[in-house]
């Protein structure tokens, strides 16, 4: 087994980042350094969050020194594989990408002394999942991503987790939200986008998704920073938008490039 241990930065001050200061990040490449789809640029990993929860992840390694970083967050009830096609495109566009299975999902279910199941989660359990995103951020930093060009994207409930993480983490430069809900499990999208300050956001949804359309309208009203919004025909949600409207992924990369240039 190949193992790498990296200690998270120690300069954090807020509760979540102070906790991350003590985080030990375990990267375990099982069975002789097992690789994901592209053996040259990606790897399946296991991370350990501060509270001891093990988190399955995939890291896509763009070539070059200090590439921009991108964290990907799946919807409730899914796993990181929903982002695989998009992540491979992002890697080709020069991004170092980390996608995780949130605790209680996919490869992050089995935990000592027993399994976690997202279907039993209370609001506090979802807030604990922010530690999974911090583990992904540390992974990107330890792998050499540019700390001045770090973004996050989420779908569904994952977009609210990502938005909370943006609010709590000044190191993040911007957020992409696919089919965001207005409120779930104590996460209020409008309050969070207002508290995120001037960091930019990109919203994507489909015209037949009435809940996401209402959320997008409310987010546009409350955003303190630059917010770009695009709707597409159909009823697809989350990363399914990239399948139903292939131009949507291209729009994300155009926006990310613009935000990088503006930073």
């Amino acid at each position: 087994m190949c193992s790498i241990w990296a200690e998270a930065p120690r300069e954090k001050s807020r509760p979540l980042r102070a906790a991350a200061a003590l985080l030990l990040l375990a990267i375990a490449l099982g069975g002789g350094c097992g690789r994901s789809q592209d053996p040259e640029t990606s790897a399946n990993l296991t991370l350990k969050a501060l509270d001891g929860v093990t988190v399955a992840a995939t890291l896509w390694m763009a070539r070059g020194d200090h590439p921009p970083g991108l964290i990907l967050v799946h919807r409730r009830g899914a796993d990181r594989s929903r982002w695989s096609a998009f992540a491979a495109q992002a890697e080709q566009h020069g991004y170092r990408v980390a996608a995780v299975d949130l605790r209680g999902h996919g490869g992050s279910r089995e935990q000592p002394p027993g399994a976690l199941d997202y279907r039993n989660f209370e609001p506090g359990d979802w807030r604990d999942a922010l530690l999974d995103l911090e583990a992904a951020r540390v992974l990107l930093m330890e792998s050499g991503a540019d700390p001045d060009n770090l973004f996050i994207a989420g779908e569904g409930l994952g977009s609210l987790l990502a938005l909370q993480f943006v609010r709590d983490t000044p190191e993040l430069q911007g957020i992409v939200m696919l089919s965001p809900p207005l409120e779930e499990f104590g996460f209020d999208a409008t309050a969070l986008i207002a508290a995120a300050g001037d960091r930019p956001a990109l919203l994507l949804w489909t015209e037949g998704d009435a809940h996401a359309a209402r959320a997008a309208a409310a987010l546009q009203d409350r955003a303190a920073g630059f917010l770009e919004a695009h709707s597409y025909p159909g009823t697809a949600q989350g990363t399914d938008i990239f399948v139903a409207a292939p131009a949507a992924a291209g729009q994300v990369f155009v926006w990310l490039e613009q935000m990088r240039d503006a930073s």
Side-chain angles (χ1 to χ4, degrees):
M1 176 180 291
C2 297
S3 307
I4 301 173
W5 292 86
E7 191 169 357
R10 297 185 177 277
E11 72 277 7
K12 312 301 182 186
S13 58
R14 296 186 183 182
L16 177 61
R17 296 192 300 280
L22 302 176
L23 174 68
L24 285 179
L25 172 64
I27 305 177
L29 305 180
C33 303
R35 297 285 173 169
S36 60
Q37 294 177 354
D38 185 343
E40 296 299 323
T41 61
S42 61
N44 291 322
L45 315 171
T46 299
L47 315 181
K48 186 176 287 292
L50 174 68
D51 59 357
V53 170
T54 56
V55 179
T58 302
L59 178 68
W60 282 262
M61 294 285 290
R63 302 186 187 281
D65 295 331
H66 304 300
L70 180 61
I71 300 168
L72 302 177
V73 192
H74 63 77
R75 67 173 72 176
R76 180 179 182 270
D79 59 44
R80 70 191 190 277
S81 67
R82 288 190 55 82
W83 286 100
S84 294
F86 177 85
Q89 292 181 60
E91 188 272 334
Q92 291 297 316
H93 279 80
Y95 289 84
R96 190 150 295 173
V97 183
V100 297
D101 284 352
L102 295 170
R103 58 188 61 200
H105 295 76
S108 303
R109 289 173 56 91
E110 296 302 322
Q111 310 286 337
L116 291 176
D117 189 334
Y118 72 90
R119 290 170 291 190
N120 301 325
F121 278 12
E122 300 292 337
D125 298 307
W126 289 108
R127 293 192 68 85
D128 289 343
L130 296 171
L131 293 173
D132 306 342
L133 306 188
E134 176 63 5
R137 187 194 70 82
V138 172
L139 172 64
L140 287 176
M141 294 301 94
E142 293 295 334
S143 71
D146 182 357
D148 295 323
N149 278 293
L150 181 61
F151 297 87
I152 190 168
E155 59 162 353
L157 176 60
S159 65
L160 294 188
L161 293 174
L163 188 54
Q164 177 75 55
F165 194 57
V166 166
R167 195 207 70 170
D168 294 341
T169 311
E171 293 87 347
L172 288 165
Q173 275 73 58
I175 181 172
V176 178
M177 304 178 71
L178 279 62
S179 308
L182 262 178
E183 184 177 5
E184 283 190 15
F185 297 101
F187 296 98
D188 184 326
T190 55
L192 289 172
I193 197 108
D198 62 357
R199 279 171 291 179
L202 173 64
L203 300 181
L204 303 180
W205 73 98
T206 53
E207 296 163 359
D209 185 352
H211 295 292
R214 284 195 293 271
L219 287 164
Q220 291 176 78
D221 286 342
R222 292 293 304 277
F226 171 72
L227 188 149
E228 183 175 328
H230 295 272
S231 64
Y232 299 89
T235 59
Q237 296 180 334
T239 56
D240 292 333
I241 294 173
F242 298 142
V243 178
Q251 184 61 54
V252 173
F253 295 122
V254 168
W255 183 86
L256 287 170
E257 289 299 315
Q258 292 172 340
M259 297 306 104
R260 287 173 56 192
D261 292 342
S263 63

